[in-house]
Coordinates of all heavy atoms in Angstrom, one line a residue:
E1172 N 74.0 85.0 110.0 CA 75.3 84.7 109.7 C 76.1 85.9 109.2 O 75.6 86.7 108.4 CB 75.2 83.6 108.6 CG 76.6 83.1 108.2 CD 76.5 82.0 107.2 OE1 75.6 81.3 107.1 OE2 77.4 81.8 106.3
L1173 N 77.2 86.0 109.5 CA 78.1 87.2 109.2 C 78.5 87.0 107.9 O 78.7 85.9 107.2 CB 79.3 87.3 110.0 CG 79.2 87.5 111.5 CD1 80.6 87.4 112.3 CD2 78.6 88.8 111.7
L1174 N 78.7 88.2 107.1 CA 79.1 88.2 105.7 C 80.7 88.3 105.7 O 81.2 88.3 104.4 CB 78.5 89.4 105.1 CG 77.0 89.5 104.9 CD1 76.6 90.5 104.3 CD2 76.6 88.1 104.1
Y1175 N 81.5 88.3 106.8 CA 82.8 88.4 106.6 C 83.5 87.5 107.6 O 82.9 87.0 108.7 CB 83.1 90.0 106.9 CG 82.7 90.5 108.3 CD1 83.4 90.3 109.4 CD2 81.4 91.0 108.4 CE1 82.9 90.7 110.7 CE2 81.0 91.5 109.6 CZ 81.8 91.3 110.8 OH 81.4 91.7 111.9
D1176 N 84.6 87.2 107.5 CA 85.5 86.4 108.4 C 86.5 87.3 109.2 O 86.9 86.9 110.2 CB 86.3 85.3 107.6 CG 85.3 84.3 107.1 OD1 84.4 83.9 107.8 OD2 85.5 83.9 105.9
A1177 N 86.9 88.4 108.7 CA 87.9 89.2 109.3 C 87.8 90.6 109.0 O 87.2 91.0 107.9 CB 89.3 88.7 108.8
V1178 N 88.0 91.5 109.8 CA 88.1 93.0 109.6 C 89.4 93.5 109.8 O 90.1 93.2 111.0 CB 87.1 93.6 110.5 CG1 87.1 95.2 110.3 CG2 85.7 93.1 110.2
V1179 N 90.0 94.4 109.0 CA 91.2 95.0 109.2 C 91.0 96.5 109.2 O 90.5 97.0 108.2 CB 92.2 94.6 108.0 CG1 93.5 95.3 108.3 CG2 92.5 93.1 108.1
E1180 N 91.5 97.2 110.2 CA 91.3 98.6 110.2 C 92.6 99.2 109.5 O 93.6 98.9 109.7 CB 91.3 99.1 111.8 CG 91.0 100.6 111.8 CD 90.7 101.0 113.3 OE1 90.7 100.3 114.1 OE2 90.9 102.3 113.4
V1181 N 92.1 100.2 108.6 CA 93.0 100.9 107.9 C 93.2 102.4 108.6 O 92.2 103.2 108.8 CB 92.7 101.1 106.4 CG1 93.8 101.9 105.7 CG2 92.6 99.8 105.8
D1182 N 94.4 102.5 109.1 CA 94.8 103.8 109.8 C 94.8 105.0 108.9 O 96.1 105.2 108.4 CB 95.9 103.7 110.8 CG 96.1 104.8 111.8 OD1 95.1 105.5 112.0 OD2 97.1 104.8 112.3
E1183 N 93.9 105.7 108.5 CA 93.9 106.8 107.6 C 92.8 107.6 107.9 O 91.7 107.3 108.6 CB 93.8 106.4 106.2 CG 92.6 105.6 105.7 CD 91.5 106.6 105.2 OE1 91.6 107.4 104.5 OE2 90.3 106.2 105.7
R1184 N 92.7 108.9 107.5 CA 91.6 109.7 107.9 C 91.5 110.9 106.8 O 92.5 111.6 106.5 CB 91.6 110.4 109.2 CG 90.4 111.2 109.6 CD 90.3 111.3 111.0 NE 89.3 112.2 111.4 CZ 88.0 112.0 111.5 NH1 87.6 110.8 111.4 NH2 87.1 112.9 111.9
V1185 N 90.3 111.0 106.2 CA 90.0 112.3 105.4 C 88.9 113.1 105.9 O 88.1 112.3 106.6 CB 89.9 111.8 103.9 CG1 91.2 111.3 103.3 CG2 88.6 111.1 103.7
Q1186 N 88.8 114.3 105.6 CA 87.6 115.1 106.2 C 87.1 115.7 105.0 O 87.7 116.5 104.2 CB 88.1 116.1 107.1 CG 87.0 116.9 107.7 CD 87.7 117.9 108.7 OE1 88.8 118.5 108.5 NE2 87.1 118.1 109.8
V1187 N 85.7 115.6 104.7 CA 85.1 116.4 103.7 C 84.7 117.8 104.2 O 84.2 117.9 105.3 CB 83.8 115.6 103.1 CG1 83.0 116.6 102.1 CG2 84.2 114.3 102.6
F1188 N 84.9 118.9 103.4 CA 84.7 120.2 103.9 C 83.2 120.5 104.0 O 82.4 120.1 103.1 CB 85.2 121.3 103.0 CG 86.7 121.5 103.2 CD1 87.8 120.8 102.6 CD2 87.2 122.6 104.2 CE1 89.0 121.2 102.7 CE2 88.3 122.8 104.3 CZ 89.5 122.1 103.6
T1189 N 82.9 121.1 105.2 CA 81.6 121.6 105.3 C 81.6 123.1 105.7 O 82.8 123.5 105.8 CB 80.7 120.9 106.4 OG1 81.4 121.2 107.6 CG2 80.6 119.4 106.1
E1190 N 80.6 123.9 105.6 CA 80.7 125.3 106.2 C 81.3 125.4 107.4 O 82.2 126.3 107.7 CB 79.4 126.0 106.1 CG 78.9 126.4 104.8 CD 77.7 127.3 104.8 OE1 77.5 128.0 105.8 OE2 76.9 127.1 104.0
R1191 N 80.9 124.4 108.3 CA 81.5 124.4 109.7 C 83.0 124.1 109.9 O 83.7 124.8 110.6 CB 80.7 123.4 110.6 CG 81.0 123.6 112.0 CD 80.2 122.6 112.9 NE 80.8 121.3 112.8 CZ 80.2 120.3 112.5 NH1 78.8 120.3 112.2 NH2 80.6 119.0 112.4
N1192 N 83.5 123.3 108.9 CA 85.0 123.0 109.2 C 85.9 123.6 108.0 O 87.0 123.3 108.0 CB 85.2 121.5 109.3 CG 84.8 120.9 108.0 OD1 84.7 121.4 106.9 ND2 84.8 119.5 108.1
S1193 N 85.3 124.4 107.1 CA 86.3 125.0 106.1 C 86.6 126.4 106.4 O 87.3 127.1 105.7 CB 85.5 125.0 104.7 OG 84.3 125.7 104.7
N1194 N 86.1 127.0 107.6 CA 86.4 128.4 107.9 C 87.9 128.5 108.3 O 88.4 127.6 108.8 CB 85.4 129.1 108.9 CG 84.0 129.0 108.6 OD1 83.8 129.4 107.3 ND2 83.1 128.8 109.4
S1195 N 88.4 129.6 108.2 CA 89.8 129.9 108.7 C 89.9 129.7 110.3 O 88.8 129.8 110.9 CB 90.2 131.3 108.4 OG 90.3 131.6 107.0
N1196 N 91.1 129.3 110.6 CA 91.1 129.1 112.2 C 91.2 130.5 112.7 O 91.3 131.4 112.1 CB 92.3 128.2 112.5 CG 93.6 128.8 111.9 OD1 93.8 130.0 111.7 ND2 94.5 127.8 111.7
S1197 N 91.2 130.5 114.1 CA 91.0 131.7 114.8 C 92.1 132.7 114.6 O 92.1 133.9 114.9 CB 90.8 131.4 116.3 OG 92.0 130.7 116.9
N1198 N 93.3 132.3 114.3 CA 94.5 133.2 114.1 C 94.5 133.6 112.6 O 95.5 134.4 112.3 CB 95.7 132.7 114.6 CG 96.2 131.4 113.7 OD1 95.7 131.2 112.7 ND2 97.3 130.9 114.2
G1199 N 93.6 133.3 111.8 CA 93.6 133.9 110.5 C 94.6 133.2 109.5 O 94.9 133.7 108.4
D1200 N 95.2 132.2 109.8 CA 96.2 131.4 109.0 C 95.6 130.6 108.0 O 95.4 129.4 108.1 CB 97.0 130.6 109.9 CG 98.3 130.1 109.2 OD1 98.5 130.3 108.0 OD2 99.3 129.6 109.8
D1201 N 95.1 131.2 106.9 CA 94.3 130.4 105.7 C 95.4 129.4 105.0 O 94.8 128.4 104.7 CB 94.0 131.5 104.7 CG 92.9 132.4 105.2 OD1 92.2 131.8 106.3 OD2 92.6 133.5 104.7
E1202 N 96.7 129.8 105.0 CA 97.5 128.8 104.2 C 97.6 127.4 105.0 O 97.4 126.4 104.3 CB 98.9 129.5 104.1 CG 99.9 128.6 103.3 CD 101.1 129.2 103.1 OE1 101.1 130.4 102.8 OE2 102.2 128.6 103.2
K1203 N 97.7 127.4 106.2 CA 97.8 126.2 107.0 C 96.3 125.4 106.9 O 96.4 124.2 106.7 CB 97.9 126.3 108.5 CG 99.4 126.6 108.8 CD 99.6 126.5 110.4 CE 101.1 126.6 110.6 NZ 101.3 126.7 112.1
Q1204 N 95.3 126.1 106.8 CA 94.0 125.5 106.6 C 93.9 124.8 105.2 O 93.1 123.8 105.1 CB 92.9 126.6 106.6 CG 91.5 126.2 106.9 CD 91.4 125.7 108.3 OE1 92.1 125.7 109.1 NE2 90.2 125.2 108.7
Q1205 N 94.6 125.2 104.2 CA 94.6 124.4 102.9 C 95.6 123.3 102.8 O 95.5 122.6 101.9 CB 95.0 125.5 101.8 CG 93.9 126.6 101.8 CD 92.6 126.1 101.5 OE1 92.2 125.4 100.7 NE2 91.6 126.6 102.3
D1206 N 96.4 123.1 103.8 CA 97.3 121.9 103.7 C 96.5 120.6 103.4 O 95.5 120.3 104.2 CB 98.1 121.8 105.0 CG 99.2 122.9 105.2 OD1 99.5 123.5 104.1 OD2 99.8 123.0 106.3
G1207 N 97.0 119.8 102.6 CA 96.4 118.5 102.4 C 95.0 118.5 101.7 O 94.3 117.6 101.8
V1208 N 94.6 119.6 101.1 CA 93.2 119.8 100.5 C 93.3 119.3 99.0 O 94.3 119.7 98.3 CB 92.8 121.1 100.7 CG1 91.4 121.3 100.0 CG2 92.5 121.6 102.1
V1209 N 92.5 118.4 98.6 CA 92.2 118.0 97.4 C 90.8 118.0 96.9 O 90.0 118.2 97.7 CB 92.9 116.5 97.1 CG1 94.4 116.4 97.4 CG2 92.1 115.6 98.1
Q1210 N 90.5 118.0 95.6 CA 89.2 117.9 95.2 C 88.8 116.5 94.9 O 89.5 115.8 94.3 CB 89.1 118.8 93.8 CG 87.5 118.8 93.4 CD 87.3 119.9 92.4 OE1 88.1 120.8 92.1 NE2 86.2 119.7 91.5
G1211 N 87.7 116.1 95.5 CA 87.2 114.7 95.3 C 86.5 114.8 93.9 O 86.2 115.6 93.3
V1212 N 86.2 113.4 93.6 CA 85.6 113.2 92.2 C 84.2 113.7 92.2 O 83.7 114.0 91.1 CB 85.5 111.6 92.1 CG1 87.0 111.1 91.9 CG2 84.8 110.9 93.1
T1213 N 83.6 114.0 93.2 CA 82.3 114.7 93.3 C 82.3 116.2 93.3 O 81.3 116.9 93.2 CB 81.5 114.3 94.6 OG1 82.3 114.7 95.7 CG2 81.2 112.9 94.7
G1214 N 83.5 116.7 93.3 CA 83.7 118.2 93.3 C 83.8 118.7 94.8 O 84.2 119.9 94.9
E1215 N 83.7 117.9 95.8 CA 83.8 118.3 97.2 C 85.2 118.6 97.5 O 86.1 117.8 97.0 CB 83.1 117.4 98.1 CG 81.8 117.3 98.0 CD 81.2 115.9 98.8 OE1 81.3 114.9 98.3 OE2 80.6 116.3 99.8
Q1216 N 85.6 119.4 98.4 CA 86.9 119.7 98.8 C 87.1 118.6 100.0 O 86.3 118.5 100.9 CB 87.2 121.1 99.3 CG 87.0 122.0 98.1 CD 88.1 122.0 97.2 OE1 89.3 122.0 97.5 NE2 87.6 121.6 95.9
V1217 N 88.4 117.9 100.0 CA 88.5 117.0 100.9 C 89.9 117.1 101.5 O 90.9 117.5 100.7 CB 88.6 115.6 100.4 CG1 89.0 114.5 101.3 CG2 87.2 115.2 99.7
R1218 N 90.1 117.2 102.9 CA 91.4 117.4 103.5 C 92.0 116.0 103.9 O 91.2 115.2 104.6 CB 91.3 118.3 104.7 CG 92.7 118.4 105.5 CD 92.7 119.3 106.6 NE 92.5 120.6 106.1 CZ 91.6 121.5 106.7 NH1 90.7 121.2 107.4 NH2 91.5 122.9 106.1
V1219 N 93.1 115.6 103.5 CA 93.7 114.3 104.1 C 94.4 114.7 105.4 O 95.4 115.4 105.4 CB 94.7 114.0 103.1 CG1 95.4 112.6 103.4 CG2 94.1 113.7 101.7
L1220 N 93.8 114.2 106.4 CA 94.3 114.3 107.7 C 95.5 113.3 108.1 O 96.3 113.8 108.8 CB 93.1 114.2 108.8 CG 92.1 115.4 108.5 CD1 91.0 115.1 109.6 CD2 92.5 116.8 108.7
K1221 N 95.2 112.2 107.6 CA 96.2 111.1 107.9 C 96.2 110.3 106.6 O 95.2 109.5 106.3 CB 95.9 110.3 108.9 CG 96.9 109.3 109.4 CD 96.8 108.7 110.8 CE 97.9 108.0 111.2 NZ 97.8 107.5 112.5
P1222 N 97.4 110.2 105.9 CA 97.5 109.4 104.7 C 97.5 107.9 105.0 O 98.0 107.6 106.2 CB 98.8 109.9 104.0 CG 99.1 111.1 104.7 CD 98.6 111.1 106.0
V1223 N 97.1 107.0 104.2 CA 97.0 105.6 104.5 C 98.5 105.2 104.5 O 99.3 105.6 103.7 CB 96.3 104.8 103.3 CG1 96.8 105.0 102.0 CG2 96.0 103.3 103.8
D1224 N 98.9 104.4 105.5 CA 100.3 103.9 105.7 C 100.4 102.3 105.2 O 100.0 101.5 106.0 CB 100.7 104.0 107.2 CG 102.2 103.5 107.4 OD1 102.8 103.0 106.5 OD2 102.7 103.7 108.5
L1225 N 100.6 102.2 104.0 CA 100.5 100.9 103.3 C 101.6 100.0 104.0 O 101.3 98.9 104.1 CB 100.9 101.1 101.9 CG 99.8 101.8 101.1 CD1 100.2 101.8 99.6 CD2 98.4 101.0 101.2
E1226 N 102.7 100.4 104.4 CA 103.7 99.6 105.0 C 103.2 99.0 106.5 O 103.5 97.9 106.8 CB 105.1 100.2 105.1 CG 105.8 100.3 103.7 CD 105.7 99.0 103.0 OE1 106.1 98.0 103.3 OE2 105.2 99.1 101.8
A1227 N 102.5 99.9 107.1 CA 102.0 99.4 108.4 C 100.8 98.5 108.2 O 100.3 97.6 109.0 CB 101.3 100.6 109.1
L1228 N 100.0 98.7 107.0 CA 98.9 97.8 106.7 C 99.3 96.3 106.1 O 98.6 95.4 106.4 CB 98.0 98.5 105.6 CG 96.9 97.8 105.1 CD1 95.8 97.4 106.2 CD2 96.1 98.7 103.9
R1229 N 100.4 96.4 105.5 CA 100.9 95.1 104.8 C 101.0 93.9 105.8 O 100.4 92.9 105.5 CB 102.4 95.3 104.4 CG 102.8 94.1 103.6 CD 104.3 94.3 103.1 NE 104.3 95.5 102.0 CZ 104.1 95.4 100.7 NH1 103.7 94.2 100.3 NH2 104.1 96.5 100.0
P1230 N 101.4 94.0 107.0 CA 101.5 92.9 107.9 C 100.1 92.4 108.4 O 99.9 91.2 108.5 CB 102.4 93.2 109.1 CG 102.6 94.6 109.1 CD 102.3 95.1 107.7
K1231 N 99.2 93.3 108.4 CA 97.8 93.0 108.8 C 97.1 92.2 107.6 O 96.5 91.2 107.9 CB 97.0 94.4 109.1 CG 97.5 95.1 110.4 CD 96.7 96.3 110.4 CE 97.1 97.2 111.5 NZ 96.4 98.4 111.7
L1232 N 97.3 92.7 106.4 CA 96.8 92.1 105.2 C 97.5 90.6 105.0 O 96.9 89.6 104.8 CB 97.0 92.8 104.0 CG 96.1 94.0 103.9 CD1 96.4 94.8 102.6 CD2 94.6 93.7 104.0
Q1233 N 98.8 90.5 105.4 CA 99.5 89.3 105.3 C 98.9 88.2 106.3 O 98.7 87.0 106.0 CB 100.9 89.5 105.6 CG 101.7 88.2 105.3 CD 101.8 87.9 103.7 OE1 102.1 88.6 102.9 NE2 101.4 86.7 103.5
A1234 N 98.6 88.7 107.5 CA 97.9 87.8 108.5 C 96.6 87.3 107.9 O 96.3 86.1 108.0 CB 97.8 88.5 109.7
V1235 N 95.9 88.2 107.3 CA 94.6 87.6 106.7 C 94.8 86.7 105.7 O 94.3 85.6 105.6 CB 93.7 88.9 106.1 CG1 92.6 88.5 105.4 CG2 93.4 89.7 107.3
F1236 N 95.9 86.9 104.8 CA 96.2 86.1 103.6 C 96.7 84.7 104.1 O 96.2 83.7 103.7 CB 97.3 86.8 102.8 CG 97.6 86.0 101.5 CD1 96.8 86.2 100.4 CD2 98.5 85.1 101.3 CE1 96.9 85.6 99.1 CE2 98.8 84.5 100.1 CZ 97.9 84.7 99.1
D1237 N 97.4 84.9 105.2 CA 97.9 83.5 105.7 C 96.9 82.6 106.5 O 97.1 81.4 106.6 CB 99.1 83.9 106.8 CG 100.4 84.5 106.2 OD1 100.5 84.3 104.9 OD2 101.2 85.0 106.8
S1238 N 95.8 83.3 106.9 CA 94.7 82.6 107.4 C 93.9 81.8 106.3 O 93.0 81.2 106.6 CB 93.9 83.4 108.1 OG 93.0 84.2 107.4
G1239 N 94.1 82.0 105.0 CA 93.5 81.3 104.0 C 92.6 82.2 103.2 O 92.0 81.8 102.2
I1240 N 92.4 83.5 103.6 CA 91.4 84.3 102.9 C 92.0 85.0 101.6 O 93.1 85.3 101.7 CB 91.0 85.4 104.0 CG1 90.2 85.0 105.0 CG2 90.1 86.5 103.0 CD1 89.7 85.9 106.0
R1241 N 91.3 84.8 100.5 CA 92.1 85.2 99.3 C 91.2 86.4 98.5 O 91.7 86.9 97.6 CB 92.1 84.1 98.3 CG 93.0 82.9 98.7 CD 94.5 83.5 98.9 NE 95.4 82.4 99.3 CZ 95.9 82.2 100.6 NH1 95.4 83.0 101.4 NH2 96.7 81.2 100.8
T1242 N 90.1 86.7 99.1 CA 89.3 87.8 98.5 C 89.0 88.8 99.5 O 88.8 88.4 100.7 CB 88.0 87.4 97.8 OG1 87.2 86.7 98.8 CG2 88.4 86.4 96.5
L1243 N 88.9 90.0 99.3 CA 88.5 91.0 100.2 C 87.8 92.2 99.6 O 87.9 92.3 98.4 CB 89.8 91.6 101.1 CG 90.9 92.1 100.2 CD1 90.7 93.6 99.9 CD2 92.2 91.9 101.0
A1244 N 87.2 92.9 100.5 CA 86.4 94.3 100.1 C 87.1 95.3 100.9 O 87.5 95.2 102.0 CB 85.0 94.1 100.3
V1245 N 87.4 96.4 100.1 CA 87.9 97.6 100.7 C 86.8 98.7 100.9 O 86.2 99.0 99.8 CB 89.1 98.1 100.0 CG1 89.7 99.4 100.6 CG2 90.2 97.1 99.9
A1246 N 86.6 99.1 102.1 CA 85.5 100.1 102.2 C 86.1 101.2 103.2 O 86.0 100.9 104.4 CB 84.2 99.6 102.7
L1247 N 86.3 102.3 102.8 CA 86.9 103.4 103.6 C 85.9 104.7 103.6 O 85.2 104.9 102.7 CB 88.2 103.9 103.1 CG 89.3 102.9 103.1 CD1 90.5 103.5 102.6 CD2 89.5 102.2 104.5
M1248 N 85.9 105.4 104.7 CA 85.0 106.4 104.8 C 85.3 107.6 103.8 O 86.5 107.8 103.4 CB 85.2 107.2 106.2 CG 84.6 106.3 107.4 SD 82.8 106.3 107.5 CE 82.6 108.1 107.9
H1249 N 84.4 108.2 103.2 CA 84.4 109.2 102.2 C 85.0 108.9 100.9 O 85.4 109.6 100.1 CB 85.1 110.5 102.8 CG 84.6 110.9 104.1 ND1 83.2 111.3 104.2 CD2 85.1 111.2 105.3 CE1 83.0 111.7 105.3 NE2 84.1 111.6 106.1
A1250 N 85.1 107.4 100.6 CA 85.7 107.0 99.5 C 84.9 107.3 98.1 O 85.2 107.3 97.1 CB 86.0 105.6 99.5
Y1251 N 83.6 107.6 98.6 CA 82.7 108.0 97.4 C 83.2 109.3 96.6 O 82.9 109.4 95.5 CB 81.2 108.3 97.9 CG 81.2 109.6 98.8 CD1 80.8 110.9 98.1 CD2 81.3 109.6 100.1 CE1 80.7 112.0 99.0 CE2 81.4 110.7 100.9 CZ 81.0 111.9 100.2 OH 81.0 113.1 101.1
T1252 N 84.0 110.1 97.4 CA 84.5 111.3 96.7 C 86.0 111.3 96.8 O 86.6 111.8 95.8 CB 84.1 112.6 97.5 OG1 84.4 113.7 96.6 CG2 84.5 112.7 98.8
F1253 N 86.7 110.6 97.6 CA 88.2 110.5 97.6 C 88.7 109.1 97.4 O 88.6 108.3 98.5 CB 88.7 111.2 99.0 CG 90.4 111.2 99.0 CD1 90.9 112.1 98.1 CD2 91.0 110.3 99.8 CE1 92.3 112.1 98.2 CE2 92.3 110.3 99.8 CZ 93.0 111.1 99.0
V1254 N 88.9 108.6 96.2 CA 89.1 107.3 96.0 C 90.5 106.7 96.2 O 90.8 105.6 96.2 CB 88.6 106.8 94.6 CG1 87.0 107.2 94.5 CG2 89.4 107.6 93.5
D1255 N 91.4 107.7 96.4 CA 92.9 107.4 96.3 C 93.3 106.3 97.4 O 94.1 105.4 97.0 CB 93.7 108.7 96.4 CG 93.7 109.6 95.4 OD1 92.6 109.5 94.6 OD2 94.5 110.6 95.3
H1256 N 92.8 106.5 98.7 CA 93.3 105.5 99.7 C 92.6 104.1 99.3 O 93.4 103.1 99.4 CB 92.8 105.9 101.0 CG 93.6 107.2 101.5 ND1 93.2 107.8 102.6 CD2 94.6 107.9 101.0 CE1 94.1 108.8 102.9 NE2 95.0 108.7 101.8
E1257 N 91.4 103.9 98.9 CA 91.0 102.6 98.6 C 91.6 102.0 97.4 O 92.0 100.8 97.5 CB 89.4 102.7 98.3 CG 88.4 102.6 99.4 CD 87.1 102.4 99.1 OE1 86.8 102.2 97.9 OE2 86.3 102.4 100.1
R1258 N 92.0 102.9 96.5 CA 92.8 102.3 95.3 C 94.1 101.8 95.7 O 94.6 100.8 95.3 CB 92.9 103.4 94.2 CG 91.5 103.5 93.5 CD 91.7 104.4 92.4 NE 90.4 104.6 91.6 CZ 90.1 105.5 90.9 NH1 90.9 106.5 90.6 NH2 89.0 105.5 90.3
A1259 N 94.7 102.6 96.6 CA 96.1 102.2 97.1 C 96.0 100.9 97.9 O 96.9 99.9 97.7 CB 96.7 103.3 97.9
V1260 N 95.0 100.7 98.6 CA 94.9 99.5 99.5 C 94.6 98.4 98.5 O 95.2 97.2 98.7 CB 93.8 99.7 100.5 CG1 93.4 98.3 101.3 CG2 94.2 100.7 101.6
G1261 N 93.8 98.5 97.7 CA 93.4 97.5 96.7 C 94.6 97.0 95.9 O 94.8 95.8 95.7
K1262 N 95.4 98.0 95.5 CA 96.6 97.7 94.7 C 97.6 96.9 95.6 O 98.2 95.8 95.1 CB 97.3 99.0 94.2 CG 98.6 98.8 93.4 CD 99.1 100.2 92.8 CE 100.3 100.0 92.0 NZ 101.7 100.0 92.7
L1263 N 97.8 97.1 96.8 CA 98.6 96.4 97.7 C 98.2 95.2 97.8 O 98.8 94.1 97.8 CB 98.7 97.2 99.0 CG 99.5 96.4 100.2 CD1 101.0 96.1 99.8 CD2 99.4 97.2 101.4
A1264 N 96.8 94.9 98.1 CA 96.3 93.6 98.3 C 96.4 92.7 97.1 O 96.8 91.5 97.2 CB 94.8 93.7 98.5
R1265 N 96.2 93.3 95.9 CA 96.4 92.5 94.7 C 97.9 92.1 94.5 O 98.2 90.8 94.2 CB 96.0 93.3 93.5 CG 94.5 93.3 93.2 CD 94.1 93.9 91.9 NE 94.5 95.4 91.7 CZ 94.0 96.3 92.4 NH1 92.8 96.2 93.0 NH2 94.4 97.6 92.1
E1266 N 98.8 92.8 94.8 CA 100.3 92.6 94.7 C 100.6 91.5 95.8 O 101.5 90.8 95.4 CB 101.0 93.8 95.0 CG 101.1 94.9 94.0 CD 101.7 96.2 94.4 OE1 102.2 96.3 95.6 OE2 101.8 97.2 93.6
M1267 N 99.9 91.4 96.7 CA 100.0 90.4 97.9 C 99.5 89.1 97.5 O 99.7 88.1 98.2 CB 99.5 90.8 99.2 CG 100.4 92.1 99.7 SD 99.7 92.6 101.3 CE 100.1 91.3 102.4
G1268 N 98.6 89.0 96.5 CA 98.0 87.7 95.9 C 96.5 87.7 96.1 O 95.9 86.7 96.0
F1269 N 95.9 88.6 96.8 CA 94.4 88.7 96.9 C 93.8 88.9 95.6 O 94.4 89.6 94.7 CB 93.9 89.9 97.8 CG 94.2 89.6 99.3 CD1 95.4 90.3 99.9 CD2 93.3 88.9 100.1 CE1 95.7 90.1 101.2 CE2 93.6 88.7 101.4 CZ 94.9 89.3 102.0
E1270 N 92.7 88.3 95.4 CA 91.9 88.5 94.2 C 90.9 89.6 94.1 O 90.5 90.0 95.2 CB 91.0 87.2 94.0 CG 91.9 85.9 93.9 CD 91.1 84.6 93.8 OE1 89.8 84.7 93.5 OE2 91.7 83.6 93.9

């Protein structure tokens, strides 16, 4: 038996730095490499490649709410270190009436 009734994909992306992806790009433009970089709660450096679009997410969550679902779980990649996107989705869901 499934533990869920619906899945909603959240269009966002963050990347945790590793030695392989934290090096300067081939033209030496270090400043561009730092765009969107924040420190996660674990101390890891995280690049926000695509911020969460809450307005695009709202109609998807509304459809779930309209189907009768009132509780949800939010689980996004790398949220163990970068919690901002999960918190924003959770706040939106509570404002819409989810528990």
Side-chain angles (χ1 to χ4, degrees):
E1172 185 176 332
L1173 295 177
L1174 296 176
Y1175 57 87
D1176 291 320
V1178 175
V1179 173
E1180 183 175 348
V1181 178
D1182 192 16
E1183 63 84 51
R1184 183 161 170 87
V1185 299
Q1186 177 184 46
V1187 176
F1188 276 94
T1189 64
E1190 280 188 39
R1191 189 176 76 228
N1192 65 15
S1193 66
N1194 295 329
S1195 297
N1196 58 24
S1197 59
N1198 66 7
D1200 192 351
D1201 291 336
E1202 187 173 314
K1203 279 190 177 180
Q1204 199 71 2
Q1205 296 303 313
D1206 288 346
V1208 175
V1209 296
Q1210 183 170 340
V1212 297
T1213 60
E1215 294 171 283
Q1216 297 295 303
V1217 178
R1218 177 178 290 123
V1219 178
L1220 298 174
K1221 185 170 191 174
V1223 63
D1224 183 349
L1225 295 175
E1226 290 311 308
L1228 180 59
R1229 184 181 300 274
K1231 295 176 183 180
L1232 290 180
Q1233 189 64 54
V1235 171
F1236 191 84
D1237 292 346
S1238 77
I1240 295 173
R1241 296 296 182 261
T1242 58
L1243 55 83
V1245 179
L1247 302 178
M1248 292 287 292
H1249 306 304
Y1251 70 92
T1252 189
F1253 184 72
V1254 300
D1255 297 14
H1256 288 172
E1257 273 194 3
R1258 286 184 177 160
V1260 171
K1262 182 175 185 265
L1263 172 63
R1265 283 187 301 279
E1266 289 170 358
M1267 295 178 68
F1269 287 97
E1270 298 173 13

